Protein backbone atom coordinates (compact mmCIF):
# COMPACT_ATOMS: atom_id res chain seq x y z
CA UNK A 1 0.00 0.00 0.00
CA UNK A 2 1.52 3.31 -1.10
CA UNK A 3 0.63 6.18 1.20
CA UNK A 4 0.41 9.66 -0.30
CA UNK A 5 0.29 13.02 1.43
CA UNK A 6 -2.23 15.04 -0.55
CA UNK A 7 -4.92 17.70 -0.36
CA UNK A 8 -8.64 16.97 0.03
CA UNK A 9 -10.87 19.73 -1.28
CA UNK A 10 -13.71 21.10 0.83
CA UNK A 11 -15.68 24.34 0.74
CA UNK A 12 -18.05 25.85 -1.77
CA UNK A 13 -17.74 26.75 -5.42
CA UNK A 14 -14.99 29.38 -5.81
CA UNK A 15 -14.19 29.13 -2.06
CA UNK A 16 -11.88 26.14 -1.64
CA UNK A 17 -10.57 24.85 1.66
CA UNK A 18 -8.17 21.92 1.84
CA UNK A 19 -7.27 19.27 4.37
CA UNK A 20 -3.82 17.76 4.08
CA UNK A 21 -4.22 14.03 4.60
CA UNK A 22 -2.27 10.80 4.54
CA UNK A 23 -4.23 8.48 2.26
CA UNK A 24 -3.86 5.28 0.28
CA UNK A 25 -2.88 6.19 -3.27
CA UNK A 26 -5.79 4.16 -4.67
CA UNK A 27 -8.41 6.09 -2.67
CA UNK A 28 -10.31 8.92 -4.43
CA UNK A 29 -9.19 12.52 -3.87
CA UNK A 30 -11.98 13.38 -1.44
CA UNK A 31 -12.49 9.83 -0.20
CA UNK A 32 -11.18 7.67 2.60
CA UNK A 33 -8.01 8.77 4.36
CA UNK A 34 -5.77 7.47 7.14
CA UNK A 35 -5.04 10.67 9.08
CA UNK A 36 -5.50 14.45 8.82
CA UNK A 37 -2.08 16.09 9.08
CA UNK A 38 -2.95 19.73 8.36
CA UNK A 39 -5.20 22.29 6.70
CA UNK A 40 -4.69 24.89 3.98
CA UNK A 41 -6.93 27.87 3.20
CA UNK A 42 -5.73 29.46 -0.08
CA UNK A 43 -8.23 32.33 0.12
CA UNK A 44 -6.49 35.28 1.77
CA UNK A 45 -8.17 37.01 4.71
CA UNK A 46 -8.75 40.76 4.76
CA UNK A 47 -5.24 41.06 6.22
CA UNK A 48 -3.82 39.19 3.21
CA UNK A 49 -2.92 36.00 5.12
CA UNK A 50 -3.36 32.51 3.71
CA UNK A 51 -3.76 30.12 6.62
CA UNK A 52 -1.78 26.89 6.77
CA UNK A 53 -1.79 24.63 9.82
CA UNK A 54 0.51 21.61 9.91
CA UNK A 55 1.12 18.79 12.37
CA UNK A 56 4.86 18.79 11.78
CA UNK A 57 5.59 15.75 13.97
CA UNK A 58 3.01 13.62 12.14
CA UNK A 59 4.20 14.84 8.73
CA UNK A 60 7.78 13.87 9.62
CA UNK A 61 6.52 10.46 10.78
CA UNK A 62 4.65 9.76 7.53
CA UNK A 63 7.62 10.87 5.44
CA UNK A 64 9.93 8.66 7.53
CA UNK A 65 7.81 5.58 6.82
CA UNK A 66 7.79 6.27 3.07
CA UNK A 67 4.73 8.41 2.34
CA UNK A 68 5.06 10.30 -0.95
CA UNK A 69 3.83 13.92 -1.01
CA UNK A 70 1.91 15.24 -4.00
CA UNK A 71 3.46 18.13 -5.95
CA UNK A 72 1.51 20.84 -4.12
CA UNK A 73 2.06 19.28 -0.69
CA UNK A 74 5.79 18.98 -1.41
CA UNK A 75 5.82 22.70 -2.30
CA UNK A 76 4.03 23.61 0.96
CA UNK A 77 6.33 21.41 3.06
CA UNK A 78 9.36 22.93 1.32
CA UNK A 79 8.17 26.41 2.28
CA UNK A 80 8.00 25.39 5.95
CA UNK A 81 11.30 23.51 6.05
CA UNK A 82 9.86 20.04 6.62
CA UNK A 83 11.18 18.86 3.24
CA UNK A 84 13.91 20.35 1.08
CA UNK A 85 12.31 22.68 -1.46
CA UNK A 86 11.47 20.93 -4.74
CA UNK A 87 13.64 21.80 -7.74
CA UNK A 88 12.45 24.66 -9.94
CA UNK A 89 10.78 23.58 -13.16
CA UNK A 90 11.88 26.56 -15.17
CA UNK A 91 15.17 28.09 -16.16
CA UNK A 92 15.90 31.66 -15.13
CA UNK A 93 18.10 31.95 -18.22
CA UNK A 94 15.06 31.49 -20.48
CA UNK A 95 13.33 34.51 -18.93
CA UNK A 96 15.98 36.83 -20.35
CA UNK A 97 15.46 37.84 -24.00
CA UNK A 98 17.83 36.00 -26.33
CA UNK A 99 19.54 39.17 -27.46
CA UNK A 100 20.45 40.07 -23.85
CA UNK A 101 21.72 36.64 -22.72
CA UNK A 102 25.39 36.28 -21.94
CA UNK A 103 27.16 33.43 -23.67
CA UNK A 104 24.91 33.31 -26.74
CA UNK A 105 26.45 33.78 -30.18
Amino acid sequence: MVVRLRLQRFGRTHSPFYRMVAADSRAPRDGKFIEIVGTYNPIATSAGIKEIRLKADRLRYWISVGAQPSDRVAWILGKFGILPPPPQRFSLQRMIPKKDRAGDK
Side-chain angles (χ1 to χ4, degrees):
M1 174 174 88
V2 177
V3 176
R4 302 254 335 170
L5 297 172
R6 62 182 178 205
L7 298 173
Q8 271 189 340
R9 190 181 195 281
F10 287 89
R12 302 186 314 238
T13 305
H14 306 298
S15 297
F17 178 82
Y18 298 95
R19 283 184 187 163
M20 193 177 301
V21 297
D24 183 0
S25 63
R26 297 170 292 184
R29 180 193 73 180
D30 296 336
K32 191 174 179 181
F33 59 89
I34 301 169
E35 181 181 1
I36 299 173
V37 292
T39 60
Y40 172 48
N41 187 1
I43 306 297
T45 62
S46 59
I49 299 171
K50 296 180 179 183
E51 184 179 352
I52 299 176
R53 295 178 185 222
L54 302 174
K55 296 179 183 175
D57 58 331
R58 295 306 295 164
L59 284 164
R60 286 189 180 99
Y61 165 76
W62 281 111
I63 291 168
S64 71
V65 296
Q68 300 171 350
S70 67
D71 291 340
R72 195 65 183 171
V73 170
W75 179 82
I76 291 170
L77 297 180
K79 289 283 187 187
F80 286 90
I82 295 174
L83 284 179
Q88 293 181 343
R89 293 185 177 181
F90 56 89
S91 171
L92 295 176
Q93 188 71 4
R94 299 187 91 199
M95 293 183 178
I96 302 170
K98 284 187 177 181
K99 63 181 180 179
D100 297 335
R101 290 184 198 168
D104 281 355
K105 298 178 184 178

